[in-house]
Amino acid sequence: MKIDLTDTTSSKINKALMNGRRSIGTPAVGMVLTLVIVTDEENAYDALKAANEASREHPSRTLVVIKRVSRSPRDRTTSRLDAEVRVGAEAGTGETVVLRLYGEVINHAQSVVLPLLLPDAPVVAWWPVNAPLDPAKDPLGALAQRRVTDTYAAEQPNDELEARAGAYTPGDTDLSWTRITPWRSMLAAALDQVTCKVNSVEVEGEEFNPSCELLAMWLAGRLDVPVKRSVSSGPGLTAVRMQTDCGAIVLDRPDGSLATLSIEGQPDRAVALKRRETSELIAEELRRLDPDDTYAAALKFGVDRLGDRATDGQGPAADAAAPATAPAKKAAAKKAPAKSAAKKSASKAAAK
């Protein structure tokens, strides 16, 4: 069932929700949390589809906040709230309200959302794109116990990771971190099978994929060993190679679906390690509402590491700069003999 409301208010939206539940014969509210999705019109469909699929595991009231840009100065001074209320089959196993904000009300989105939150239920805020640098200080983020962002959607993922680390607040998380959960589980299980000391690690993946950086940060922090970040054509993470006293441990996934785990002295094993959909990622994040201390430790460790890599000649940035500096050194070496010859001739002339 779908109910369209034009130029409405939060109280009218609440009444429409109650009337919708009565119409389909489910007056009781059986939802466990409120999911607030802050997005734009372009990405709203995909985000809502993922939330509806995740609601099969976590029945929730989903509030989609879309801030519409006004075209003219007159429209910017006119506040309006349009809503689309969905209950029943239209909203998965919960309820969905699509809120479109116009004009000055865009700056007060929290006042619209607050009356629509489920009473005595957790609140999770999710920014599929264009997340604020400090989600906890955002007016909508301040209403939530958990704040989910996605660094993969940023134009400069490494800069975004540094900003996230500086503004981290317990309750923040990132879908780029959620994507590597199977990798972390598999690597931890592999290390449990050996008693050797890890000496170095190499993480291989796409160049602009923050999941690779986060995995490298996590391994560097946990194992306290050098971690090299290599670039591949993808898709996503492609391999992790750990050098130990007893030989190499390699988890290789070249096709984004099936991986091979190789441990020295043991037969190779095929491991299902497919890339997961957004609905699976958001469903995983909704399973826990407490702060993720492991993510916080990896994130904060990684900021310093990323800064070192940019200046100490390690990592892709330094490798890319190396070919440009080599010719310059050769040119300088050629100029050096010319300078020494000029000095010798000048000293001879002075002696005469």
Side-chain angles (χ1 to χ4, degrees), residues 144-195:
Q145 286 77 44
R146 289 278 280 175
R147 295 163 293 276
V148 184
T149 58
D150 192 354
T151 313
Y152 188 75
E155 292 186 5
Q156 299 292 334
N158 286 355
D159 294 343
E160 195 86 358
L161 286 175
E162 291 187 20
R164 291 275 179 268
Y168 176 80
T169 301
D172 293 352
T173 191
D174 190 340
L175 290 187
S176 294
W177 172 256
T178 315
R179 289 184 180 95
I180 62 174
T181 299
W183 284 81
R184 293 191 294 119
S185 300
M186 192 60 59
L187 292 171
L191 289 175
D192 284 342
Q193 300 177 38
V194 298
T195 57

Side-chain angles (χ1 to χ4, degrees), residues 83-122:
E84 186 179 308
V85 178
R86 303 178 186 179
V87 293
E90 296 282 346
T93 60
E95 299 173 341
T96 299
V97 181
V98 181
L99 304 167
R100 292 182 172 86
L101 283 60
Y102 300 82
E104 184 62 27
V105 73
I106 288 177
N107 300 323
H108 306 281
Q110 71 278 10
S111 300
V112 177
V113 170
L114 186 59
L116 301 176
L117 301 178
L118 290 173
D120 301 324

Side-chain angles (χ1 to χ4, degrees), residues 244-256:
T244 73
D245 294 339
C246 305
I249 299 175
V250 180
L251 183 59
D252 188 17
R253 188 190 66 175
D255 60 356

